Amino acid sequence: VKQAGGEVRPHGAGKRARVISSQPGHPGYALTRSLGLASGLECGIIPEPQVSSHQVRQDAEALLVLGTDGLFEFCSGRTVAGHLFLHGVTEEALEEVVQESRKLWSMNSSNNTVDDATA
């Protein structure tokens, strides 16, 4: 982070650490690694995911849903998978899950904020 020109410093009421960009107008990021967050590159955030593999039996039925922590904070994996099995694995169905997550974030947030939710 420091090598890229960013800095880590306490931020907000809870004084949680944030990655701060040297570029004006960029938000403070609560992470140093994020799936696809290319806008954080200039302050040292790594957008490439860590990848691992798992062998699945050939006769097994499987569904892999990649999503941010903001998606799964209030929507369980079972809820997300159930929605996709019911409505199909489409962009529209994924967007519905993301919107539901944002709605639940807003309802459960003391200051009406939501976390990034991506599927």
Side-chain angles (χ1 to χ4, degrees), residues 90-107:
T90 64
E91 283 190 47
E92 182 179 347
L94 289 167
E95 185 57 34
E96 290 167 357
V97 170
V98 167
Q99 290 304 320
E100 179 65 16
S101 174
R102 288 185 181 136
K103 182 176 92 178
L104 292 170
W105 261 100
S106 183
M107 289 171 37

Side-chain angles (χ1 to χ4, degrees), residues 6 8 14-15 17 20 22 25-26 37 43 45 48 62-63 66 85 90 93 102 105:
V8 179
K15 298 297 182 193
I20 307 297
S22 61
H26 286 252
L37 186 66
C43 60
I45 292 175
E48 295 88 23
L63 173 67
L66 301 178
F85 283 131
T90 64
R102 288 185 181 136
W105 261 100

Side-chain angles (χ1 to χ4, degrees), residues 20-53:
I20 307 297
S21 172
S22 61
Q23 303 294 319
H26 286 252
Y29 301 103
L31 42 88
T32 57
R33 178 178 300 277
S34 176
L35 182 62
L37 186 66
S39 65
L41 275 171
E42 82 278 346
C43 60
I45 292 175
I46 303 167
E48 295 88 23
Q50 290 178 318
V51 178
S52 60
S53 63

Side-chain angles (χ1 to χ4, degrees), residues 68-86:
T68 60
D69 62 331
L71 174 67
F72 292 109
E73 182 73 24
F74 294 107
C75 291
S76 70
R78 184 177 297 257
T79 298
V80 171
H83 186 82
L84 297 176
F85 283 131
L86 185 63

